[in-house]
Amino acid sequence: MKEAVMVSRAWRILIVLAFVLLPPKLASAAEAHWPQSLTLGTASEGGTYYAYGEGLARLLSRELGIAVVARATGGPIENIKLLETGEIQLAFVTQGVALQAWNAGAAWTDARQYRNMRAMFAMYDTPFQFQVLSDSPIQLFADFAGKRIGVGPEGGTTAAYFPEFLKALKIEATVVHGDWAELAEKSLARSIDALAVGAGVPVPMLIDIERKAKVRYLPLTRQEIATLRLTMPELSASVVAAGSYPTLRRRYDTVGLFNFAVAHKDLPNDLVTAIVDTVFANNERLVEVHPAAAETIPSNIMRNNFIPLHGGAVSWYRSRVTPGVVHSD
C-alpha cells in the first residue's frame, strides 16, 4: 500500500477544467510520421469493452485517416501485456488492474512492472454485477458458497477481482473462465450457477440473456461493500441505475473501477492529441455505440490517480484548464 500511495502522489492529476469553445488547431490527419495502422486491445465479444472498442476504432479510422483495428483479447491483463511488448499500441484498462501492473502487485505480473502505458482519457465506470436466473436458489452474495460462477476470460477484470471478492468475504466457490458469449450459454443451460461481470452498463451479454430467460441481479450489502473497499482501496462505491436492464426495477448498489484508454508511451504526441480531441468532439457517436460512453467526458480524467498521462494527452488537457497542472512523466 505504501508503494501505491507513493505512485499515486507522484502522478496525481490536479486540474480545474474550464473548457474553451474552439479547440486548438491539430495536426492534419495521417501525418507522415504517424504509424500507418494502430491496434486497439479490447476484450472478448459480448462485453462492453468489445462493443465500445469496435465503435472507437471505426471513429478513429474515419477521422484520423489511419487504420485502427479493434482486437478481441482476454481483457485488461492481456491488454497491458500486449501493450508492453508493442504488439498493440492502444488499450483499455481498469484502474485496479493497471495499478497491479504498475506496482507488480499481483501474481499474474510475475514480479514484473509494466510501465509502458500512458493514459489518454477516462472511459466509464465498471460496476461489478451479479446475475442469476430468476428461479435460482441464490438470493444473496453469501449464497455463492459452493456454486460455479462464470467470471469471463482469464485476462479480464472480473477474473482478476472476483476471486479476491470471495477471499475478502470468506466465501468458497468455483470460478469458471471463458468468453462472455460462451458463459452466457452456460448460464442459460444451467451448467454454471451465476455470472459475475465487471463491465460498463449495460453489458450486451446480460441483456441478451434477458431476452431468453427471466433473471435477477444480486446487490451487495452495505457491509459487503465496506469490507471489499477496505480490502481493495482502489474500488469505489458504484450504482447501476434502475432501468439499466429490463428487469432491474430499483437502483443496484455495488462496487466498481473506472476504465481508461491508454496508449504506448512511444506513440507521437500529436497523434495522441488528435485521438483525444476526436473522442471528445464525437462523444455522441460513441454513446450511440454504447450508452456507457456518456461518461467519456474530459472532467473524468480526474478519476485517474496514478497512471501518468501521455504527453499528447497532457497537451490537450492543458489547452483547456485554468489554472492547474496536468502531470506527465
Side-chain angles (χ1 to χ4, degrees):
M1 287 301 300
K2 289 183 179 179
E3 185 177 4
V5 170
M6 290 176 65
V7 173
S8 175
R9 288 175 178 171
W11 301 117
R12 183 170 298 278
I13 302 162
L14 305 173
I15 61 176
V16 179
L17 293 168
F19 297 100
V20 297
L21 294 177
L22 295 176
K25 183 178 180 180
L26 296 172
S28 60
E31 293 285 352
H33 61 281
W34 291 1
Q36 293 184 344
S37 64
L38 296 170
T39 301
L40 167 66
T42 61
S44 67
E45 292 187 38
T48 305
Y49 268 14
Y50 185 83
Y52 188 112
E54 287 279 298
L56 177 60
R58 290 193 299 269
L59 173 65
L60 295 178
S61 296
R62 181 172 59 246
E63 297 296 324
L64 300 184
I66 59 177
V68 180
V69 179
R71 173 172 169 173
T73 69
I77 291 176
E78 184 178 3
N79 290 344
I80 290 170
K81 291 181 176 180
L82 292 171
L83 193 76
E84 193 73 13
T85 63
E87 190 170 340
I88 64 175
Q89 299 77 44
L90 307 173
F92 296 158
V93 301
T94 49
Q95 186 157 237
V97 173
L99 179 61
Q100 293 174 351
W102 195 267
N103 289 335
W108 67 264
T109 66
D110 292 324
R112 174 184 176 181
Q113 294 178 324
Y114 292 82
R115 296 193 169 183
N116 279 340
M117 65 182 124
R118 297 292 184 270
M120 295 188 296
F121 58 88
M123 295 165 62
Y124 53 81
D125 186 31
T126 283
F128 287 89
Q129 302 145 73
F130 312 104
Q131 187 198 70
V132 298
L133 298 181
S134 61
D135 59 356
S136 169
I138 299 173
Q139 300 293 327
L140 305 169
F141 192 94
D143 295 335
F144 282 153
K147 299 298 192 295
R148 297 156 300 173
I149 316 299
V151 299
E154 290 192 46
T157 298
T158 312
Y161 271 85
F162 189 72
E164 299 302 317
F165 287 12
L166 295 175
K167 186 186 302 183
L169 298 175
K170 297 179 172 57
I171 297 170
E172 293 188 7
T174 300
V175 297
V176 180
H177 299 105
D179 290 344
W180 288 119
E182 173 191 354
L183 292 175
E185 293 303 317
K186 288 186 175 182
S187 178
L188 290 166
R190 302 173 190 273
S191 60
I192 59 175
D193 300 296
L195 288 165
V197 186
V201 177
V203 181
M205 175 267 296
L206 296 182
I207 289 182
D208 187 56
I209 291 175
E210 288 207 26
R211 296 191 184 104
K212 302 172 183 177
K214 294 181 179 180
V215 304
R216 289 184 286 108
Y217 294 89
L218 302 178
L220 293 166
T221 66
R222 290 183 180 179
Q223 184 57 53
E224 287 168 341
I225 290 173
T227 298
L228 292 175
R229 294 188 66 193
L230 182 63
T231 306
M232 291 160 273
E234 67 269 27
L235 295 173
S236 58
S238 188
V239 174
V240 179
S244 297
Y245 297 101
T247 62
L248 193 63
R249 305 296 175 82
R250 61 182 64 183
R251 60 176 276 163
Y252 179 86
D253 292 299
T254 182
V255 292
L257 294 161
F258 225 81
N259 298 273
F260 293 87
V262 298
H264 193 283
K265 63 182 179 62
D266 293 336
L267 278 186
N269 282 358
D270 59 341
L271 171 56
V272 173
T273 302
I275 290 173
V276 175
D277 190 73
T278 298
V279 166
F280 292 139
N282 295 275
N283 177 258
E284 71 285 352
R285 296 186 187 180
L286 285 178
V287 173
E288 290 174 1
V289 170
H290 197 286
E295 293 185 270
T296 305
I297 57 177
S299 59
N300 273 335
I301 195 62
M302 290 189 291
R303 299 292 294 268
N304 170 29
N305 58 14
F306 81 94
I307 309 174
L309 268 68
H310 193 285
V314 171
S315 296
W316 194 93
Y317 293 108
R318 275 185 177 160
S319 70
R320 290 157 175 80
V321 303
T322 176
V325 180
V326 177
H327 290 294
S328 181
D329 58 336

